[in-house]
Amino acid sequence: MYLSRPKQKRQITMFIVVVWLIVFTILPACGNTSNNNEAPVAEQTTTVATTTQTQAVTEATADDSPHSGEPWWDIWISDRKAPEGTYDSRIGPMPGPEPFKLKVVHQYGQNSSVDEGITPENSIWNDMIKDQLNIEFEWLWVIPSEQYNQRFQLALSSGDIPDILRMNEKQFRQFIDTDSLRDMKSAYDEFAIPEFHNMDAQFDGVTIKQSTVDGKLLAIPRYEDNHASVNILWYRKDWADALGFDQPKDVNELMDMAIAFGNQPDNPERTGMIAQRKPFDETYSFGAFFQAFGAYPNKWIIKDGEPVPGIIQDEMLEGLRAARYLYENNAVNKDFSTFGWDQAIERLTNSTIGIAYGKWWAPDTPLRTSFQFDPEAEWQQMPMPGLAPGESAISTVEENMVHFYMGVYKNAPEGAEEAMMRVLNFYFVDRFPASNDVWPQRPLPDEAARQKNIENNAILAAKGFIWDWCPILCWNATENSDRARLTNEVLKTGDLSLLRNASDKSWYDDAKLWLDKGMDDERYYQNWCTYSSRVSDDSGVLLTSRLRDEGYTIENVFYGGATETEEQMSSQLADLADEFGTKFIMGEVSEADWPDFVEEWLGLGGKAWWDEVVAGYKETH
């Protein structure tokens, strides 16, 4: 058994940090992967449209549309048109006889569901928004997601700037510095539907404050509940049972299990814990394992009131000692330093690795794939074990929940702020009908109706009705946890009337089949995936939410766009750390080399970066 150094039990307090106006650089990201999502828990209200605005929307029929008679349009109209008196006027059309025009750009990923020749520029989104909101998109360009940042920067240099801006953190700060963004506050206060205000209130307006400078709301942030970044542990319960191991109560018992997994004469290919050549990565490497020792590589945490780099704290050395112990005792593959992320995942799913840290969605990918190799695989999840028996490790969560910002360029036409809010409202009520009171909730279908719904969705998808193909988009930040709580309650009570729509029913059906039939159902892997990641009391979404709510987290603090030193030196500093970490685990360097590593890290640019972080922190706290 590996024994940690004797020391006082440390109390890690989750800091409640006043939101900074300057935050860490993140790339634009897509928050969700489908429209099967959840509702906010905050109580919502309905605003009844005025007679004129209501008639403009609700009295229109499929026959009024230029697409009348086209199956895909008729499906959209019949499935989504709100009955009279329920459509919030703020989602209605822009005033005026002519469409209000907005210059837009967009990034997108290819989707096999879409007909050939359909892109965001000619997708159904353009038609429905023009038809329902009297807003017309003028496309400057559209580009694959991986090329977006480069193309966007070129547009800024050439002055070919759209009216509506989707910005990552760095880009947002650039526009702030050049005073190039409109104030969205009046439009947000007047036109954002109550569901937006309720959602933001659940997080104490953190992201709205983050987007506000000198009292001006310079963008609408799109963000995700930070419970999604909590780490949890997964292990092969079938292996553990065969070897007589119970669920590990602390990290020492976990390490004993890992060593046992890696020392089976009948299964010489097996190893215990997943690792790859970037040892400090948090998912599918040692990064989360180190957190049991209070070590947070690649994170900035607060000590004595100031941010500090986790990579050079003393706790990091203790975590590395434990990782070396695993390596020396065959609990880690001897060739881990040659593995990329994909090779490590391959070993996890082909039954040669039995322990991994991951996020709540790990059953979706990659664990479900392991059933293709071994149908008898049984993955158990649990909180990350800590040093003391029965104590969970403290996981990091992301203080900055924002994925990207949507703003209005200073030279956009008058009224663009209102137009953008109307599209955001429309997008929210259409994509998340169970999340609001202003759109009809789709009734719980029988199986035939559900199958018809699936067929209709496929027809719409073929015309580009893909969630992230709209150039102005949003999502409900708490959708996963909201739906998880609801379907969990239905499983416990059997009250099917609580299910709000086909998406709720899909989660419920999968989970119920897993509980009733287990592996006897032909879709057992999908049923297990849904239950273990989304519906179960003690796993997935509900487990990570509980761990955060009970204080088993510490914030990875963000401090603004990338600092000058970070932009120049962060990759070299990461390479230096990865090299030292790997060599330490493999026994090629020793504890005597730790001070030299710390000194080199600081001298290579780490100290300058750290000073910039602290300065930025003090400016906003």
Side-chain angles (χ1 to χ4, degrees), residues 5 17 20 23 77 80 94 123 168 192 208 255 295 297 309 335 342 357 365 404 421 439 505 508 537 540 570 592 596:
R5 292 183 302 174
V17 183
W20 308 324
V23 290
I77 289 291
R80 290 169 170 81
M94 288 287 287
S123 76
N168 65 23
I208 291 296
M255 293 171 69
D335 297 327
D342 54 342
Y357 291 86
T365 178
F404 59 84
M421 282 309 312
W439 194 263
K505 188 173 187 295
Y508 169 78
D537 265 331
S570 59
D596 292 337

Side-chain angles (χ1 to χ4, degrees), residues 18-206:
V18 177
V19 172
W20 308 324
L21 301 179
I22 303 176
V23 290
F24 188 72
T25 298
I26 57 173
L27 295 176
C30 59
N32 310 296
T33 55
S34 73
N35 64 331
N36 297 335
N37 296 309
E38 300 69 43
V41 294
E43 189 173 339
Q44 301 159 343
T45 58
T46 301
T47 302
V48 180
T50 64
T51 302
T52 301
Q53 289 168 316
T54 300
Q55 289 176 347
V57 177
T58 61
E59 293 182 0
T61 66
D63 292 336
D64 297 322
S65 168
H67 304 291
S68 177
E70 298 182 48
W72 57 273
W73 184 257
D74 293 341
I75 287 170
W76 184 82
I77 289 291
S78 63
D79 192 31
R80 290 169 170 81
K81 185 168 288 298
E84 186 173 357
T86 64
Y87 205 124
D88 192 314
S89 63
R90 288 165 295 184
I91 310 167
M94 288 287 287
E98 298 299 323
F100 188 93
K101 295 184 179 181
L102 288 174
K103 295 178 182 178
V104 296
V105 301
H106 198 36
Q107 58 176 303
Y108 77 108
Q110 297 294 332
N111 192 298
S112 60
S113 302
V114 179
D115 285 347
E116 185 176 356
I118 300 293
T119 71
E121 295 167 287
N122 59 7
S123 76
I124 185 177
W125 281 110
N126 298 270
D127 301 307
M128 66 175 64
I129 287 171
K130 184 175 180 180
D131 182 86
Q132 298 289 292
L133 302 183
N134 198 31
I135 295 172
E136 183 176 341
F137 294 144
E138 291 187 352
W139 290 91
L140 300 183
W141 48 267
V142 62
I143 202 163
S145 297
E146 62 272 14
Q147 302 173 30
Y148 178 80
N149 283 328
Q150 183 178 8
R151 180 66 180 85
F152 191 77
Q153 290 301 129
L154 288 174
L156 301 188
S157 300
S158 66
D160 189 22
I161 301 175
D163 299 326
I164 304 300
L165 301 162
R166 172 173 167 167
M167 303 162 284
N168 65 23
E169 192 66 50
K170 180 178 178 180
Q171 293 157 352
F172 181 46
R173 301 301 161 185
Q174 286 177 326
F175 277 98
I176 290 174
D177 291 342
T178 57
D179 193 25
S180 298
L181 296 173
R182 294 267 188 89
D183 185 358
M184 292 290 301
K185 189 176 189 310
S186 293
Y188 177 79
D189 291 345
E190 181 176 357
F191 294 104
I193 54 176
E195 289 69 26
F196 271 118
H197 292 284
N198 293 338
M199 180 175 67
D200 294 333
Q202 290 183 68
F203 299 94
D204 298 322
V206 162

Side-chain angles (χ1 to χ4, degrees), residues 408-478:
V408 176
Y409 184 52
K410 65 179 181 181
N411 292 335
E414 183 179 355
E417 304 94 312
E418 175 186 341
M420 190 182 92
M421 282 309 312
R422 287 184 183 274
V423 177
L424 288 173
N425 293 340
F426 176 81
Y427 186 100
F428 188 92
V429 298
D430 182 81
R431 300 304 282 175
F432 308 104
S435 300
N436 60 80
D437 291 333
V438 298
W439 194 263
Q441 306 219 346
R442 297 166 195 167
L444 174 67
D446 57 27
E447 190 57 31
R450 182 181 170 204
Q451 289 303 316
K452 186 64 176 176
N453 179 263
I454 292 172
E455 294 171 9
N456 288 347
N457 285 340
I459 294 172
L460 293 172
K463 295 299 178 182
F465 194 57
I466 306 300
W467 81 271
D468 59 348
W469 276 30
C470 182
I472 302 174
L473 74 161
C474 58
W475 54 75
N476 175 9
T478 62

